[in-house]
Amino acid sequence: MANNNPIANQENLHFFGDVCKNFDYAAQFTHHDAGLLDQIKSCNSVYRFRFPIRKGDGFEVIDAWRVEHSQHQSPTKGGIRYSEMVNEDEVMALAALMTYKCAIVNVPFGGAKGGIRINPKNYTVQELENITRRYTVELIKKNFIGPSIDVPAPDYGSGEREMSWIADTYATMNPGQLDAMGCVTGKPIALQGIQGRREATGRGVAIAVRECVSVVEDMKKIGLQPGINGKRVIVQGLGNVGFHTAKFLAEFGAVIVGLCEFEGAIYNEDGLDVESVFQHRKETGSILGYKGAKKEFTNSHLGLEQDCDILVPAALENQITAANINNIKAKIIAEGANGPTSPEAESVFYSKGGLIIPDMYANAGGVTVSYFEWLKNLSHVAFGRMNRRFEETANTNLVNMVEGITGVALSPLQRSTIIKGASELELVNSGLEDTMIRSYHEIRETFKNTEKIDTLRTAAFVGAINKIAVSYKNLGVWP
Ligand code: NAD
């Protein structure tokens, strides 16, 4: 299927430069030694490799990368992207963003990222399995994977299935390694994955948006009513991040007025039912032709420019640039994808009175729950297993006592609501929500309290740089 987005088709070879540009701008608001800043900014290890796979009657050589941006904390962590547009610059940029993202949400990992240059749609499941297993073996050979070294996860074009192939290959090549399953996250539940990981990034984006629009003072500045209820949202990308972001925002009370995919975009100011659009696309292969849409566009990029309060780009980088920023009607851009807004577009958007919730905070829900999964793998026990029954017994005793003293009996529903101990999913969601809310206010405080800091992104970078600098100082690397 042809990509009708003119911007996405260009090789984006300035992504790492853009991340460094943002870093340098933010660094002026910190007081660290130039050498230390350079150490934080640079990519520590860039591994580029090629390997052959059998395809049809012949062979094909696959290009692949793994970049470990920073080892100020171990292991390093970041997804693996399966896309024919992957290049070294992109993997370096995404690895760097992982470093800052982990620091922002206080996840004790360094940043990394992987890339395999293929369009998964052009390969059979058997070929994808061969590619993934061979990719993993190449990482093992160079010590680029392991529960205490570097822990991949899903990204654009990959998911639970690929993560299980990686875990199985790693465990096979490392017999007897007790923590082997902690070599990768985003695994299926049956293979020691964790409840809530699949939807974590989208849930996190939705919580970030809800938190942002709940601040009365900030909404007044950009001319929006506070509160998520009734906010009109357009989401680009109906994959893992986009689908779940749209679903949770709708659950929180927002109205999803537009959805954009590869092949086109649909719009209805009264709202679209995300689940049923998803089913329609699954059945017909296209978002277009959905009965509940009032407008549709074969040029998917036009979907971004429709009337809304909040735009969530959740597909790929470089979607909002100098070329289209002046047509964007949203007041808030919440970056579900990594790097969707160019620095030039960002400054135009702020000058028009908009607000951007930056990628390295907005989509950090995935790595946060990956951290919980890794902890579960290392501890070899599911969250809630040790205390759920204990909590229920203690709560039952308390309710019985209160009922006995007051003579008032609770209804079965009231009783079960109070008594219930927390499940793994509830604990994961609670940890995720707490992380997203706390981190938002940490960034906002820096934004608000430092006069010259003009974007939430710069504030997020400043916080990340300061935390990483402390790690280096604690390692004794810098005085
Ligand atoms: P995905 O492969 O599940 O979904 C991406 C979707 O975007 C696909 O449905 C694809 O068809 C669509 N798309 C591609 N080009 C498009 C275009 N030009 N216009 C509209 N739609 C288009 O990928 P994902 O995991 O949802 O990742 C999306 C973004 O979020 C990436 O930037 C990724 O790095 C970032 N991200 C993902 C995670 C995660 O946990 N999966 C975590 C953090 C950040």
Side-chain angles (χ1 to χ4, degrees), residues 153-262:
D155 191 69
Y156 186 92
S158 63
E160 287 174 19
R161 181 184 62 179
E162 287 73 18
M163 301 308 115
S164 57
W165 290 330
I166 293 172
D168 184 54
T169 308
Y170 182 84
T172 307
M173 302 276 294
N174 291 277
Q177 195 185 107
L178 193 60
D179 295 333
M181 284 297 134
C183 75
V184 65
T185 60
K187 301 180 293 292
I189 302 292
L191 208 69
Q192 299 183 37
I194 196 165
Q195 302 281 350
R197 172 61 184 91
R198 190 182 296 163
E199 59 272 34
T201 308
R203 184 188 278 276
V205 177
I207 295 170
V209 170
R210 189 187 62 189
E211 206 50 33
C212 170
V213 299
S214 73
V215 183
V216 179
E217 183 190 339
D218 297 353
M219 290 308 101
K220 209 168 164 189
K221 267 194 203 144
I222 62 171
L224 283 182
Q225 287 296 321
I228 191 71
N229 219 18
K231 287 283 173 304
R232 299 162 310 143
V233 181
I234 294 178
V235 178
Q236 181 197 37
L238 210 51
N240 180 303
V241 179
F243 170 75
H244 288 111
T245 302
K247 185 173 160 268
F248 289 115
L249 279 174
E251 264 180 44
F252 293 165
V255 182
I256 308 300
V257 292
L259 290 167
C260 318
E261 251 298 335
F262 217 73

Side-chain angles (χ1 to χ4, degrees), residues 59-96:
F59 286 91
E60 188 183 317
V61 179
I62 305 288
D63 286 295
W65 289 264
R66 185 72 189 170
V67 172
E68 293 172 355
H69 172 261
S70 173
Q71 277 100 352
H72 72 285
Q73 301 263 18
S74 286
T76 50
K77 185 101 191 67
I80 304 175
R81 181 168 285 198
Y82 288 49
S83 156
E84 58 195 340
M85 288 187 286
V86 164
N87 58 62
E88 193 162 305
D89 176 83
E90 179 182 65
V91 185
M92 286 169 68
L94 293 167

Side-chain angles (χ1 to χ4, degrees), residues 7 301 304-305 318-328 345 352:
I7 295 170
H301 237 234
L304 306 179
E305 301 173 5
N318 211 30
Q319 298 299 301
I320 302 162
T321 67
N324 61 355
I325 188 65
N326 282 314
N327 301 331
I328 300 292
K352 290 198 313 176

